[in-house]
Amino acid sequence: MFLQTLVTGLGIGSIYALMAMGYCLVFSILNFSNFAHGAMIMIGAYVGYLFCSIIGIPFFLSIIITAVITGILSVINERLAYRSLRERNAPSLYLIITAMGISIMLENLVYSTIGSNFYAYPRVFSKNYLEIFSSTIGLIDIYSFFVSIICIILLHLFLNNSKIGMAIRAGVADPIATSLMGANFNVLIRNVFFLSGIFAGISGVFMGLRYMVYPQMGWITNKAYIAAVIGGLGSLPGAIIGGFILGIIETIVSVYISSVVRDVFSFSMLILILLLKPLGLFGIKYEEKM
Amino acid sequence: MLTIKDMNVFYGHIHALQGVSIQVNQSEIVSIIGSNGAGKSTLLNSIAGIVKRASGEITFENNPLPTRSYDIVKLGISLVPERRRIFPNLTVNENLKMGAYLRNNQKEVEIDLEEMYRLFPILKKRTKQFGGTLSGGEQQMLTIARGLMSRPKFLMLDEPSLGLAPNLTEEVFLKIEEINQTGITILLVEQNAFKALEIANRAYVLENGKIAFSGIGAKMLDNPKIKDAYLGV
């Protein structure tokens, strides 16, 4: 029973981690919480459903196509909605409000075009459960865990070994000095939004597969936002660990206490961590040296 | 090499630079001195393209200067910004590589990295260390080295002695002269007016956003007005 709970927790946690990474990437470089990320995850779930169920492409191929599509949508979102604000040096608050607006707009766009029906993904795996040590382990948990781990490793390699990755890390610490090096900040931002869109698409497909696909599903991703805050907004390792902690605690609370109080626990934990460590578990503030 | 004609810069309602004109010739060291808030940094930042200018003309090697910072770096102009601004979360090696961001020939970049470690031996021991862990003096050496990694023809330095102990200040100025001797033109902004005038071929004094004096560096050291206002003698 405990093993099963733990694996489910890791499975859900890995999706939270993936979603939190998308929040975190944008926050770390632009210093605002991109609440349109939730809507992008919802669109990812629909796009994945389209390929997987209606067109009938194999599951893992659908994930890849979905990731590319949401990546591009996320870049378009930045170009149309955020860039002009950035170029006028608008305060972060304006960007946050714009992001919320985008999120509401996309949600209603789906309502008015596709409708408010709930859709369920088809059976994508031949077997849904594995029997290990007399526990039933959900295959979806295992797949989502491994897909997330692969994404985390690829992101890590990209940020640490590519020139653009290095410039993105530099831009996180000091955008102006990064521009002085000759980096085009808009190109860096485009890359960041593409990555965040990719993670939105992948996590959207897994969310849709685990639960259902419906217009307001983006709001579930508030949990991912909690995960990012717990870990320390702007810290990637923080987002990942925050995601896993949240997933495991939620599952344990649902199983051993009651699923009714699950969210009470998540939000209480958020408040407690912010009271004790206002920057989150891994939040960093760079200080300049004189 | 670089000519600025009648440049005006505003921060909101503040008229930070008021009709500034300066000229820098090939292989010179030109210093700009002035008190806090006179507009020295603003001048360098507007050449580097990170502060927008309201009016005025800048020409570099007889062509109008572009406005985007990355186009400016491409032309061979590099700014070593005030208060160092190294990347604290990148290693010393990565900080230097960021300086060479626009260069694609990896081999040449590696050669220049070695050259920087020769010029600033202090950094050699710290290659894998994060920039944020360096001391103030090491960080200053790192910013200068990073500024050189783009292979500039024209190097601007903003307050390189800020917050440094006197012996380190001395070392930084020696390095600046050494860099100049390799043929790189230097535009220097300094609060330490004495040092700045000592190494400069020519100098400008900026007062409240306007050029108040200009002249040969060594001669300005003897100018009673400048002595009184900036050298504190």
Side-chain angles (χ1 to χ4, degrees), chain B residues 137-161:
Chain B
E138 290 165 342
Q139 290 192 356
Q140 187 59 57
M141 300 299 176
L142 181 58
T143 21
I144 297 176
R146 188 184 64 181
L148 288 171
M149 281 302 289
S150 62
R151 283 218 177 156
K153 302 175 217 169
F154 186 81
L155 183 69
M156 298 186 282
L157 296 134
D158 197 350
E159 304 275 9
S161 76

Side-chain angles (χ1 to χ4, degrees), chain A:
Chain A
M1 180 70 166
F2 182 73
L3 179 69
Q4 190 179 329
T5 311
L6 190 70
V7 172
T8 308
L10 281 175
I12 295 176
S14 65
I15 299 303
Y16 287 157
L18 210 53
M19 296 193 287
M21 274 154 69
Y23 273 114
C24 170
L25 276 170
V26 172
F27 184 88
S28 63
I29 200 154
L30 287 182
N31 238 327
F32 86 99
S33 301
N34 177 23
F35 286 113
H37 191 58
M40 214 48 85
I41 290 168
M42 177 267 295
I43 288 181
Y46 273 96
V47 174
Y49 179 78
L50 170 75
F51 282 104
C52 201
S53 180
I54 299 175
I55 303 180
I57 290 172
F59 180 65
F60 283 101
L61 191 61
S62 307
I63 290 189
I64 293 171
I65 298 172
T66 306
V68 172
I69 290 176
T70 47
I72 293 168
L73 285 176
S74 176
V75 170
I76 295 174
N77 172 15
E78 195 282 325
R79 180 71 188 80
L80 294 181
Y82 307 146
R83 193 201 266 193
S84 58
L85 285 171
R86 279 197 292 117
E87 283 178 349
R88 272 174 256 165
N89 291 325
S92 306
L93 185 62
Y94 291 18
L95 286 156
I96 296 177
I97 293 168
T98 308
M100 287 175 166
I102 300 279
S103 159
I104 294 169
M105 184 204 72
L106 288 176
E107 198 181 306
N108 284 286
L109 196 69
V110 171
Y111 260 126
S112 56
T113 52
I114 302 171
S116 56
N117 286 344
F118 282 57
Y119 296 92
Y121 271 65
R123 266 176 75 113
V124 288
F125 308 121
S126 54
K127 229 168 69 180
N128 276 342
Y129 296 96
L130 281 181
E131 296 278 339
I132 301 172
F133 305 127
S134 71
S135 312
T136 30
I137 307 281
L139 260 181
I140 181 178
D141 293 325
I142 294 175
Y143 280 121
S144 49
F145 180 77
F146 282 108
V147 168
S148 296
I149 295 293
I150 291 168
C151 289
I152 290 166
I153 292 171
L154 289 178
L155 177 67
H156 179 83
L157 290 176
F158 172 74
L159 288 179
N160 285 295
N161 296 310
S162 72
K163 203 171 179 180
I164 289 193
M166 178 172 76
I168 289 173
R169 284 184 292 134
V172 165
D174 192 335
I176 290 178
T178 310
S179 304
L180 283 178
M181 302 299 111
N184 183 342
F185 202 62
N186 284 331
V187 172
L188 300 184
I189 297 294
R190 203 182 301 149
N191 275 280
V192 164
F193 272 87
F194 188 67
L195 286 171
S196 130
I198 284 179
F199 297 143
I202 299 173
S203 45
V205 173
F206 276 110
M207 289 294 280
L209 186 62
R210 185 179 286 277
Y211 307 110
M212 293 279 236
V213 184
Y214 55 99
Q216 309 102 308
M217 66 179 288
W219 295 104
I220 301 180
T221 61
N222 284 348
K223 297 279 187 53
Y225 186 66
I226 298 176
V229 174
I230 288 173
L233 266 178
S235 155
L236 270 177
I240 295 162
I241 292 170
F244 279 112
I245 291 178
L246 190 67
I248 292 171
I249 288 184
E250 269 195 16
T251 322
I252 289 177
V253 169
S254 316
V255 171
Y256 293 101
I257 305 174
S258 156
S259 59
V260 181
V261 295
R262 188 187 67 186
D263 289 359
V264 177
F265 256 84
S266 316
F267 283 95
S268 312
M269 186 167 76
L270 173 72
I271 292 167
L272 194 69
I273 284 182
L274 287 183
L275 279 176
L276 298 175
K277 290 202 76 175
L279 285 175
L281 293 175
F282 297 90
I284 321 160
K285 248 202 166 107
Y286 293 115
E287 279 167 45
E288 66 179 341
K289 226 175 233 178
M290 284 301 288

Side-chain angles (χ1 to χ4, degrees), chain B residues 33-168:
Chain B
I33 60 170
S35 51
N36 257 339
K40 303 183 303 285
S41 297
T42 307
L43 178 60
L44 295 196
N45 289 341
S46 41
I47 299 173
I50 53 174
V51 166
K52 275 189 188 140
R53 48 184 196 262
S55 66
E57 217 181 278
I58 307 182
T59 52
F60 183 69
E61 297 182 316
N62 303 320
N63 291 312
L65 193 75
T67 49
R68 299 266 186 189
S69 52
Y70 46 88
D71 291 324
I72 295 169
V73 178
K74 261 179 222 160
L75 292 178
I77 298 179
S78 178
L79 169 63
V80 175
E82 192 181 4
R83 285 174 295 132
R84 340 231 194 278
R85 302 192 90 138
I86 51 130
F87 303 113
N89 54 339
L90 266 57
T91 64
V92 167
N93 208 37
E94 286 176 328
N95 265 282
L96 291 175
K97 280 189 176 161
M98 272 308 292
Y101 188 74
L102 287 176
R103 295 171 56 190
N104 291 319
N105 188 330
Q106 263 332 104
K107 261 191 193 154
E108 277 179 25
V109 171
E110 290 297 328
I111 292 169
D112 283 9
L113 270 177
E114 284 313 307
E115 176 61 20
M116 288 308 134
Y117 290 134
R118 193 194 58 77
L119 194 61
F120 302 100
I122 266 185
L123 301 177
K124 177 90 185 169
K125 291 175 228 148
R126 307 254 185 273
T127 46
K128 292 256 183 315
Q129 229 169 293
F130 285 111
T133 64
L134 301 187
S135 72
E138 290 165 342
Q139 290 192 356
Q140 187 59 57
M141 300 299 176
L142 181 58
T143 21
I144 297 176
R146 188 184 64 181
L148 288 171
M149 281 302 289
S150 62
R151 283 218 177 156
K153 302 175 217 169
F154 186 81
L155 183 69
M156 298 186 282
L157 296 134
D158 197 350
E159 304 275 9
S161 76
L162 193 73
L164 294 186
N167 57 331
L168 281 172

